Amino acid sequence: MIVQPVLVVAAALFSIGIYGILVRRNAVMVLLSIELILNSVNINFIMFDTMLADTMMQGQIFTIFIITIAAAEVGIGLAIVLMLFRNRQTANINEFDLMKW
Amino acid sequence: MEIFEVVVYFILLALLSTSIRVVTTSNVIHAAISLVFTLALTAILFLMLSAEFVALVLILVYIGAVIVLFLFGIMITRAPLGKNAELDNDKNKKLGALISGSIFFLFSYILINGFDGEVVVLSGSSTELLGEILLSRFVFPFELVSFVLLAALIGGITLARKDEALVDKDQI
């Protein structure tokens, strides 16, 4: 398998996630875009793990850790969004300006 | 070998199109379902790179748990379920496209110049070796990450629980 197309597609997924974070207005949609970014990092880790043929398989192990941390991040993030929605009756991130100067 | 390459290119193209749909569709449920397809295609790619344990973990944890959590989040925050023109911040669209496009070109320039060649994908299972390494060399980070997951679980419950005593109605 050729290495370069997979790496370029992973970079494209990363930049698509950045676009989603910058453009989306709903807080849940921003969290979805963060998942896209973490997924692109996972693809890179697995690709380099296969490419370097590491005997310790550190790419796969780090991918498992990233998936675990991402699950924790989604739980906390959705709890925060839920709390904000309960207090403000909206999930629109433009209206959460309490800490803005 | 020729068929293998064609299948990989097809998966990469489908990955790109579904992930673009995640950030451009104006329907929140369609965005979540497109993320399911993106993750499933990623799992297939991992299977083709002989990382079958990670592929199964991705399917179980992401598609099984995280997406369900997202759908709950969408429904609890009462996002309009049909088409919704208000979902995107139109003012930021050009700037977002510029920033993400420049990041993409920078990254792909570096990656294309820095890495080259072909990968020989070994047949056979790597799960047994992965388990041995995970529970010998990496046992401390493994336990640490389980502790982080427990802390996040308790923190999520504490944040989302309705506690009348802590909420001051006049402050909000």
mmCIF file of all heavy atoms in Angstrom, chain A residues 46-92:
data_model
loop_
_atom_site.group_PDB
_atom_site.id
_atom_site.type_symbol
_atom_site.label_atom_id
_atom_site.label_comp_id
_atom_site.label_asym_id
_atom_site.label_seq_id
_atom_site.Cartn_x
_atom_site.Cartn_y
_atom_site.Cartn_z
ATOM 1 N N ILE A 46 -1.849 4.838 13.111
ATOM 2 C CA ILE A 46 -1.874 3.454 12.598
ATOM 3 C C ILE A 46 -1.010 3.337 11.352
ATOM 4 O O ILE A 46 -0.268 2.365 11.162
ATOM 5 C CB ILE A 46 -3.329 3.036 12.309
ATOM 6 C CG1 ILE A 46 -4.128 2.980 13.591
ATOM 7 C CG2 ILE A 46 -3.360 1.676 11.637
ATOM 8 C CD1 ILE A 46 -3.753 1.862 14.500
ATOM 9 N N MET A 47 -1.050 4.371 10.499
ATOM 10 C CA MET A 47 -0.263 4.319 9.265
ATOM 11 C C MET A 47 1.233 4.298 9.575
ATOM 12 O O MET A 47 1.982 3.490 9.018
ATOM 13 C CB MET A 47 -0.604 5.550 8.414
ATOM 14 C CG MET A 47 -0.126 5.479 7.011
ATOM 15 S SD MET A 47 -0.979 4.224 6.085
ATOM 16 C CE MET A 47 0.359 3.544 5.158
ATOM 17 N N PHE A 48 1.665 5.147 10.506
ATOM 18 C CA PHE A 48 3.091 5.164 10.843
ATOM 19 C C PHE A 48 3.503 3.897 11.576
ATOM 20 O O PHE A 48 4.641 3.431 11.437
ATOM 21 C CB PHE A 48 3.435 6.397 11.683
ATOM 22 C CG PHE A 48 3.532 7.643 10.873
ATOM 23 C CD1 PHE A 48 2.783 8.750 11.165
ATOM 24 C CD2 PHE A 48 4.390 7.690 9.797
ATOM 25 C CE1 PHE A 48 2.869 9.890 10.402
ATOM 26 C CE2 PHE A 48 4.483 8.823 9.030
ATOM 27 C CZ PHE A 48 3.718 9.927 9.332
ATOM 28 N N ASP A 49 2.579 3.337 12.371
ATOM 29 C CA ASP A 49 2.876 2.074 13.054
ATOM 30 C C ASP A 49 3.144 0.962 12.044
ATOM 31 O O ASP A 49 4.100 0.204 12.175
ATOM 32 C CB ASP A 49 1.691 1.708 13.945
ATOM 33 C CG ASP A 49 1.925 0.427 14.701
ATOM 34 O OD1 ASP A 49 2.733 0.470 15.638
ATOM 35 O OD2 ASP A 49 1.337 -0.594 14.348
ATOM 36 N N THR A 50 2.304 0.906 10.992
ATOM 37 C CA THR A 50 2.515 -0.113 9.956
ATOM 38 C C THR A 50 3.772 0.184 9.147
ATOM 39 O O THR A 50 4.506 -0.728 8.771
ATOM 40 C CB THR A 50 1.305 -0.170 9.031
ATOM 41 O OG1 THR A 50 0.132 -0.146 9.830
ATOM 42 C CG2 THR A 50 1.309 -1.424 8.207
ATOM 43 N N MET A 51 4.008 1.485 8.897
ATOM 44 C CA MET A 51 5.140 1.871 8.059
ATOM 45 C C MET A 51 6.470 1.576 8.738
ATOM 46 O O MET A 51 7.401 1.063 8.115
ATOM 47 C CB MET A 51 5.019 3.370 7.790
ATOM 48 C CG MET A 51 5.929 3.919 6.744
ATOM 49 S SD MET A 51 5.489 5.660 6.562
ATOM 50 C CE MET A 51 7.093 6.342 6.389
ATOM 51 N N LEU A 52 6.569 1.871 10.039
ATOM 52 C CA LEU A 52 7.830 1.660 10.744
ATOM 53 C C LEU A 52 8.002 0.227 11.229
ATOM 54 O O LEU A 52 9.089 -0.142 11.649
ATOM 55 C CB LEU A 52 7.912 2.615 11.943
ATOM 56 C CG LEU A 52 7.849 4.096 11.595
ATOM 57 C CD1 LEU A 52 7.731 4.919 12.853
ATOM 58 C CD2 LEU A 52 9.074 4.510 10.827
ATOM 59 N N ALA A 53 6.910 -0.580 11.191
ATOM 60 C CA ALA A 53 6.944 -1.976 11.653
ATOM 61 C C ALA A 53 7.548 -2.081 13.047
ATOM 62 O O ALA A 53 8.467 -2.847 13.312
ATOM 63 C CB ALA A 53 7.687 -2.864 10.667
ATOM 64 N N ASP A 54 7.013 -1.274 13.956
ATOM 65 C CA ASP A 54 7.515 -1.197 15.318
ATOM 66 C C ASP A 54 7.213 -2.501 16.069
ATOM 67 O O ASP A 54 6.090 -2.991 16.025
ATOM 68 C CB ASP A 54 6.828 -0.013 16.014
ATOM 69 C CG ASP A 54 7.375 0.232 17.380
ATOM 70 O OD1 ASP A 54 8.416 -0.342 17.700
ATOM 71 O OD2 ASP A 54 6.754 1.006 18.122
ATOM 72 N N THR A 55 8.206 -3.043 16.764
ATOM 73 C CA THR A 55 7.960 -4.294 17.489
ATOM 74 C C THR A 55 7.168 -4.060 18.764
ATOM 75 O O THR A 55 6.527 -4.972 19.276
ATOM 76 C CB THR A 55 9.285 -4.973 17.873
ATOM 77 O OG1 THR A 55 10.134 -3.994 18.470
ATOM 78 C CG2 THR A 55 9.967 -5.564 16.668
ATOM 79 N N MET A 56 7.191 -2.825 19.303
ATOM 80 C CA MET A 56 6.409 -2.536 20.502
ATOM 81 C C MET A 56 4.983 -2.113 20.166
ATOM 82 O O MET A 56 4.185 -1.909 21.073
ATOM 83 C CB MET A 56 7.081 -1.428 21.308
ATOM 84 C CG MET A 56 8.411 -1.794 21.905
ATOM 85 S SD MET A 56 8.271 -3.093 23.086
ATOM 86 C CE MET A 56 7.649 -2.209 24.481
ATOM 87 N N MET A 57 4.673 -1.907 18.902
ATOM 88 C CA MET A 57 3.331 -1.497 18.446
ATOM 89 C C MET A 57 2.838 -0.247 19.160
ATOM 90 O O MET A 57 1.699 -0.163 19.594
ATOM 91 C CB MET A 57 2.327 -2.616 18.682
ATOM 92 C CG MET A 57 2.671 -3.870 17.956
ATOM 93 S SD MET A 57 1.498 -5.077 18.363
ATOM 94 C CE MET A 57 0.842 -5.400 16.800
ATOM 95 N N GLN A 58 3.710 0.740 19.300
ATOM 96 C CA GLN A 58 3.316 1.912 20.079
ATOM 97 C C GLN A 58 2.242 2.740 19.393
ATOM 98 O O GLN A 58 1.455 3.405 20.055
ATOM 99 C CB GLN A 58 4.550 2.771 20.348
ATOM 100 C CG GLN A 58 5.539 2.032 21.205
ATOM 101 C CD GLN A 58 6.787 2.819 21.469
ATOM 102 O OE1 GLN A 58 6.723 4.004 21.698
ATOM 103 N NE2 GLN A 58 7.919 2.171 21.436
ATOM 104 N N GLY A 59 2.181 2.685 18.055
ATOM 105 C CA GLY A 59 1.123 3.412 17.345
ATOM 106 C C GLY A 59 -0.249 2.900 17.707
ATOM 107 O O GLY A 59 -1.152 3.678 18.020
ATOM 108 N N GLN A 60 -0.411 1.577 17.697
ATOM 109 C CA GLN A 60 -1.726 1.016 18.023
ATOM 110 C C GLN A 60 -2.087 1.287 19.471
ATOM 111 O O GLN A 60 -3.240 1.587 19.805
ATOM 112 C CB GLN A 60 -1.726 -0.478 17.762
ATOM 113 C CG GLN A 60 -1.591 -0.799 16.286
ATOM 114 C CD GLN A 60 -1.902 -2.236 15.994
ATOM 115 O OE1 GLN A 60 -2.646 -2.871 16.717
ATOM 116 N NE2 GLN A 60 -1.349 -2.749 14.926
ATOM 117 N N ILE A 61 -1.083 1.202 20.375
ATOM 118 C CA ILE A 61 -1.374 1.426 21.801
ATOM 119 C C ILE A 61 -1.794 2.870 22.036
ATOM 120 O O ILE A 61 -2.768 3.141 22.750
ATOM 121 C CB ILE A 61 -0.154 1.028 22.637
ATOM 122 C CG1 ILE A 61 -0.086 -0.491 22.677
ATOM 123 C CG2 ILE A 61 -0.226 1.569 24.030
ATOM 124 C CD1 ILE A 61 1.185 -1.040 23.157
ATOM 125 N N PHE A 62 -1.088 3.797 21.373
ATOM 126 C CA PHE A 62 -1.480 5.205 21.539
ATOM 127 C C PHE A 62 -2.856 5.464 20.954
ATOM 128 O O PHE A 62 -3.618 6.273 21.488
ATOM 129 C CB PHE A 62 -0.437 6.119 20.896
ATOM 130 C CG PHE A 62 0.550 6.631 21.886
ATOM 131 C CD1 PHE A 62 1.599 5.839 22.299
ATOM 132 C CD2 PHE A 62 0.405 7.880 22.431
ATOM 133 C CE1 PHE A 62 2.489 6.286 23.226
ATOM 134 C CE2 PHE A 62 1.296 8.343 23.366
ATOM 135 C CZ PHE A 62 2.349 7.540 23.771
ATOM 136 N N THR A 63 -3.206 4.770 19.863
ATOM 137 C CA THR A 63 -4.541 4.940 19.298
ATOM 138 C C THR A 63 -5.614 4.490 20.281
ATOM 139 O O THR A 63 -6.648 5.151 20.420
ATOM 140 C CB THR A 63 -4.643 4.154 17.996
ATOM 141 O OG1 THR A 63 -3.548 4.484 17.178
ATOM 142 C CG2 THR A 63 -5.913 4.473 17.273
ATOM 143 N N ILE A 64 -5.348 3.376 20.979
ATOM 144 C CA ILE A 64 -6.327 2.921 21.974
ATOM 145 C C ILE A 64 -6.475 3.959 23.078
ATOM 146 O O ILE A 64 -7.592 4.276 23.513
ATOM 147 C CB ILE A 64 -5.899 1.555 22.542
ATOM 148 C CG1 ILE A 64 -6.016 0.493 21.452
ATOM 149 C CG2 ILE A 64 -6.755 1.156 23.723
ATOM 150 C CD1 ILE A 64 -5.368 -0.791 21.816
ATOM 151 N N PHE A 65 -5.346 4.547 23.522
ATOM 152 C CA PHE A 65 -5.427 5.582 24.549
ATOM 153 C C PHE A 65 -6.209 6.796 24.051
ATOM 154 O O PHE A 65 -7.007 7.372 24.785
ATOM 155 C CB PHE A 65 -4.023 6.013 24.985
ATOM 156 C CG PHE A 65 -3.309 4.981 25.815
ATOM 157 C CD1 PHE A 65 -1.947 5.006 25.953
ATOM 158 C CD2 PHE A 65 -4.024 3.992 26.467
ATOM 159 C CE1 PHE A 65 -1.299 4.060 26.719
ATOM 160 C CE2 PHE A 65 -3.391 3.047 27.229
ATOM 161 C CZ PHE A 65 -2.022 3.081 27.357
ATOM 162 N N ILE A 66 -5.970 7.186 22.784
ATOM 163 C CA ILE A 66 -6.677 8.352 22.240
ATOM 164 C C ILE A 66 -8.178 8.091 22.202
ATOM 165 O O ILE A 66 -8.983 8.966 22.539
ATOM 166 C CB ILE A 66 -6.146 8.702 20.841
ATOM 167 C CG1 ILE A 66 -4.757 9.287 20.936
ATOM 168 C CG2 ILE A 66 -7.047 9.717 20.146
ATOM 169 C CD1 ILE A 66 -4.106 9.460 19.607
ATOM 170 N N ILE A 67 -8.576 6.871 21.812
ATOM 171 C CA ILE A 67 -10.003 6.556 21.752
ATOM 172 C C ILE A 67 -10.622 6.647 23.145
ATOM 173 O O ILE A 67 -11.718 7.198 23.323
ATOM 174 C CB ILE A 67 -10.214 5.164 21.124
ATOM 175 C CG1 ILE A 67 -9.861 5.192 19.646
ATOM 176 C CG2 ILE A 67 -11.642 4.702 21.289
ATOM 177 C CD1 ILE A 67 -9.821 3.847 19.003
ATOM 178 N N THR A 68 -9.882 6.163 24.165
ATOM 179 C CA THR A 68 -10.409 6.227 25.538
ATOM 180 C C THR A 68 -10.568 7.668 25.997
ATOM 181 O O THR A 68 -11.614 8.043 26.546
ATOM 182 C CB THR A 68 -9.442 5.497 26.490
ATOM 183 O OG1 THR A 68 -8.994 4.313 25.860
ATOM 184 C CG2 THR A 68 -10.104 5.171 27.776
ATOM 185 N N ILE A 69 -9.521 8.481 25.751
ATOM 186 C CA ILE A 69 -9.592 9.882 26.183
ATOM 187 C C ILE A 69 -10.701 10.614 25.427
ATOM 188 O O ILE A 69 -11.392 11.474 25.986
ATOM 189 C CB ILE A 69 -8.228 10.566 25.961
ATOM 190 C CG1 ILE A 69 -7.163 9.910 26.842
ATOM 191 C CG2 ILE A 69 -8.285 12.037 26.291
ATOM 192 C CD1 ILE A 69 -7.352 10.101 28.292
ATOM 193 N N ALA A 70 -10.907 10.252 24.142
ATOM 194 C CA ALA A 70 -11.967 10.902 23.375
ATOM 195 C C ALA A 70 -13.337 10.574 23.952
ATOM 196 O O ALA A 70 -14.212 11.449 24.014
ATOM 197 C CB ALA A 70 -11.890 10.472 21.917
ATOM 198 N N ALA A 71 -13.519 9.336 24.412
ATOM 199 C CA ALA A 71 -14.806 8.984 25.025
ATOM 200 C C ALA A 71 -15.029 9.806 26.287
ATOM 201 O O ALA A 71 -16.129 10.334 26.510
ATOM 202 C CB ALA A 71 -14.833 7.495 25.341
ATOM 203 N N ALA A 72 -13.974 9.966 27.106
ATOM 204 C CA ALA A 72 -14.092 10.790 28.319
ATOM 205 C C ALA A 72 -14.412 12.231 27.956
ATOM 206 O O ALA A 72 -15.268 12.870 28.583
ATOM 207 C CB ALA A 72 -12.800 10.715 29.117
ATOM 208 N N GLU A 73 -13.734 12.738 26.897
ATOM 209 C CA GLU A 73 -13.924 14.130 26.480
ATOM 210 C C GLU A 73 -15.355 14.373 26.022
ATOM 211 O O GLU A 73 -15.964 15.396 26.352
ATOM 212 C CB GLU A 73 -12.928 14.432 25.359
ATOM 213 C CG GLU A 73 -13.103 15.753 24.674
ATOM 214 C CD GLU A 73 -13.670 15.587 23.293
ATOM 215 O OE1 GLU A 73 -13.292 14.614 22.618
ATOM 216 O OE2 GLU A 73 -14.496 16.414 22.904
ATOM 217 N N VAL A 74 -15.920 13.418 25.277
ATOM 218 C CA VAL A 74 -17.300 13.595 24.814
ATOM 219 C C VAL A 74 -18.267 13.602 25.988
ATOM 220 O O VAL A 74 -19.201 14.422 26.026
ATOM 221 C CB VAL A 74 -17.656 12.480 23.812
ATOM 222 C CG1 VAL A 74 -19.142 12.446 23.562
ATOM 223 C CG2 VAL A 74 -16.935 12.703 22.529
ATOM 224 N N GLY A 75 -18.033 12.722 26.977
ATOM 225 C CA GLY A 75 -18.923 12.700 28.130
ATOM 226 C C GLY A 75 -18.932 14.026 28.869
ATOM 227 O O GLY A 75 -19.996 14.603 29.125
ATOM 228 N N ILE A 76 -17.718 14.542 29.174
ATOM 229 C CA ILE A 76 -17.616 15.815 29.890
ATOM 230 C C ILE A 76 -18.175 16.958 29.041
ATOM 231 O O ILE A 76 -18.929 17.810 29.526
ATOM 232 C CB ILE A 76 -16.150 16.090 30.257
ATOM 233 C CG1 ILE A 76 -15.696 15.107 31.317
ATOM 234 C CG2 ILE A 76 -15.975 17.501 30.760
ATOM 235 C CD1 ILE A 76 -16.246 15.376 32.657
ATOM 236 N N GLY A 77 -17.819 16.972 27.731
ATOM 237 C CA GLY A 77 -18.265 18.060 26.854
ATOM 238 C C GLY A 77 -19.771 18.127 26.749
ATOM 239 O O GLY A 77 -20.370 19.200 26.859
ATOM 240 N N LEU A 78 -20.414 16.960 26.580
ATOM 241 C CA LEU A 78 -21.872 16.981 26.466
ATOM 242 C C LEU A 78 -22.525 17.352 27.793
ATOM 243 O O LEU A 78 -23.566 18.019 27.802
ATOM 244 C CB LEU A 78 -22.380 15.631 25.976
ATOM 245 C CG LEU A 78 -22.266 15.459 24.472
ATOM 246 C CD1 LEU A 78 -22.691 14.086 24.065
ATOM 247 C CD2 LEU A 78 -23.103 16.468 23.729
ATOM 248 N N ALA A 79 -21.892 16.982 28.929
ATOM 249 C CA ALA A 79 -22.440 17.401 30.220
ATOM 250 C C ALA A 79 -22.390 18.917 30.357
ATOM 251 O O ALA A 79 -23.346 19.544 30.829
ATOM 252 C CB ALA A 79 -21.667 16.738 31.358
ATOM 253 N N ILE A 80 -21.274 19.529 29.887
ATOM 254 C CA ILE A 80 -21.147 20.991 29.957
ATOM 255 C C ILE A 80 -22.179 21.651 29.054
ATOM 256 O O ILE A 80 -22.857 22.622 29.441
ATOM 257 C CB ILE A 80 -19.714 21.420 29.584
ATOM 258 C CG1 ILE A 80 -18.745 20.987 30.662
ATOM 259 C CG2 ILE A 80 -19.627 22.922 29.417
ATOM 260 C CD1 ILE A 80 -17.304 21.186 30.295
ATOM 261 N N VAL A 81 -22.353 21.113 27.821
ATOM 262 C CA VAL A 81 -23.343 21.685 26.898
ATOM 263 C C VAL A 81 -24.745 21.581 27.476
ATOM 264 O O VAL A 81 -25.554 22.517 27.388
ATOM 265 C CB VAL A 81 -23.255 20.976 25.529
ATOM 266 C CG1 VAL A 81 -24.406 21.389 24.641
ATOM 267 C CG2 VAL A 81 -21.957 21.293 24.851
ATOM 268 N N LEU A 82 -25.023 20.451 28.134
ATOM 269 C CA LEU A 82 -26.336 20.241 28.750
ATOM 270 C C LEU A 82 -26.586 21.255 29.850
ATOM 271 O O LEU A 82 -27.665 21.839 29.955
ATOM 272 C CB LEU A 82 -26.365 18.819 29.305
ATOM 273 C CG LEU A 82 -27.714 18.228 29.612
ATOM 274 C CD1 LEU A 82 -28.473 18.090 28.325
ATOM 275 C CD2 LEU A 82 -27.525 16.867 30.247
ATOM 276 N N MET A 83 -25.548 21.489 30.672
ATOM 277 C CA MET A 83 -25.645 22.461 31.759
ATOM 278 C C MET A 83 -25.891 23.863 31.196
ATOM 279 O O MET A 83 -26.756 24.600 31.688
ATOM 280 C CB MET A 83 -24.328 22.424 32.533
ATOM 281 C CG MET A 83 -24.362 23.039 33.877
ATOM 282 S SD MET A 83 -25.290 22.042 35.003
ATOM 283 C CE MET A 83 -25.426 23.195 36.343
ATOM 284 N N LEU A 84 -25.124 24.223 30.144
ATOM 285 C CA LEU A 84 -25.310 25.544 29.530
ATOM 286 C C LEU A 84 -26.709 25.676 28.962
ATOM 287 O O LEU A 84 -27.359 26.712 29.082
ATOM 288 C CB LEU A 84 -24.275 25.752 28.423
ATOM 289 C CG LEU A 84 -22.861 26.085 28.862
ATOM 290 C CD1 LEU A 84 -21.938 26.026 27.672
ATOM 291 C CD2 LEU A 84 -22.821 27.461 29.457
ATOM 292 N N PHE A 85 -27.198 24.574 28.314
ATOM 293 C CA PHE A 85 -28.544 24.628 27.734
ATOM 294 C C PHE A 85 -29.591 24.801 28.818
ATOM 295 O O PHE A 85 -30.571 25.533 28.643
ATOM 296 C CB PHE A 85 -28.811 23.345 26.940
ATOM 297 C CG PHE A 85 -30.172 23.306 26.341
ATOM 298 C CD1 PHE A 85 -30.453 24.031 25.204
ATOM 299 C CD2 PHE A 85 -31.178 22.555 26.915
ATOM 300 C CE1 PHE A 85 -31.705 24.012 24.650
ATOM 301 C CE2 PHE A 85 -32.433 22.533 26.367
ATOM 302 C CZ PHE A 85 -32.693 23.263 25.235
ATOM 303 N N ARG A 86 -29.362 24.155 29.962
ATOM 304 C CA ARG A 86 -30.338 24.268 31.039
ATOM 305 C C ARG A 86 -30.389 25.691 31.578
ATOM 306 O O ARG A 86 -31.446 26.200 31.931
ATOM 307 C CB ARG A 86 -29.974 23.287 32.154
ATOM 308 C CG ARG A 86 -31.084 23.102 33.138
ATOM 309 C CD ARG A 86 -30.713 22.069 34.164
ATOM 310 N NE ARG A 86 -30.687 20.731 33.609
ATOM 311 C CZ ARG A 86 -29.861 19.779 34.046
ATOM 312 N NH1 ARG A 86 -29.001 20.034 34.988
ATOM 313 N NH2 ARG A 86 -29.903 18.580 33.517
ATOM 314 N N ASN A 87 -29.231 26.366 31.609
ATOM 315 C CA ASN A 87 -29.221 27.716 32.168
ATOM 316 C C ASN A 87 -29.594 28.787 31.159
ATOM 317 O O ASN A 87 -30.141 29.808 31.521
ATOM 318 C CB ASN A 87 -27.834 28.030 32.731
ATOM 319 C CG ASN A 87 -27.583 27.254 33.994
ATOM 320 O OD1 ASN A 87 -28.510 26.938 34.723
ATOM 321 N ND2 ASN A 87 -26.338 26.919 34.232
ATOM 322 N N ARG A 88 -29.277 28.564 29.866
ATOM 323 C CA ARG A 88 -29.468 29.615 28.876
ATOM 324 C C ARG A 88 -30.552 29.309 27.846
ATOM 325 O O ARG A 88 -30.832 30.125 26.982
ATOM 326 C CB ARG A 88 -28.151 29.858 28.123
ATOM 327 C CG ARG A 88 -27.042 30.417 28.977
ATOM 328 C CD ARG A 88 -27.373 31.835 29.356
ATOM 329 N NE ARG A 88 -26.267 32.469 30.023
ATOM 330 C CZ ARG A 88 -25.318 33.158 29.391
ATOM 331 N NH1 ARG A 88 -25.335 33.263 28.090
ATOM 332 N NH2 ARG A 88 -24.366 33.729 30.070
ATOM 333 N N GLN A 89 -31.090 28.083 27.838
ATOM 334 C CA GLN A 89 -32.109 27.656 26.872
ATOM 335 C C GLN A 89 -31.625 27.728 25.420
ATOM 336 O O GLN A 89 -32.412 27.916 24.494
ATOM 337 C CB GLN A 89 -33.417 28.458 27.019
ATOM 338 C CG GLN A 89 -34.351 27.906 28.066
ATOM 339 C CD GLN A 89 -33.875 28.239 29.453
ATOM 340 O OE1 GLN A 89 -33.502 29.365 29.719
ATOM 341 N NE2 GLN A 89 -33.848 27.255 30.327
ATOM 342 N N THR A 90 -30.330 27.609 25.188
ATOM 343 C CA THR A 90 -29.822 27.571 23.820
ATOM 344 C C THR A 90 -28.502 26.807 23.810
ATOM 345 O O THR A 90 -27.808 26.742 24.812
ATOM 346 C CB THR A 90 -29.618 28.987 23.261
ATOM 347 O OG1 THR A 90 -29.086 28.875 21.961
ATOM 348 C CG2 THR A 90 -28.688 29.805 24.112
ATOM 349 N N ALA A 91 -28.199 26.210 22.632
ATOM 350 C CA ALA A 91 -26.895 25.546 22.465
ATOM 351 C C ALA A 91 -26.040 26.308 21.476
ATOM 352 O O ALA A 91 -25.079 25.790 20.937
ATOM 353 C CB ALA A 91 -27.096 24.107 21.991
ATOM 354 N N ASN A 92 -26.392 27.564 21.217
ATOM 355 C CA ASN A 92 -25.670 28.386 20.254
ATOM 356 C C ASN A 92 -24.437 28.997 20.928
ATOM 357 O O ASN A 92 -24.575 29.749 21.894
ATOM 358 C CB ASN A 92 -26.628 29.485 19.764
ATOM 359 C CG ASN A 92 -26.029 30.302 18.663
ATOM 360 O OD1 ASN A 92 -24.832 30.261 18.444
ATOM 361 N ND2 ASN A 92 -26.857 31.038 17.969
#
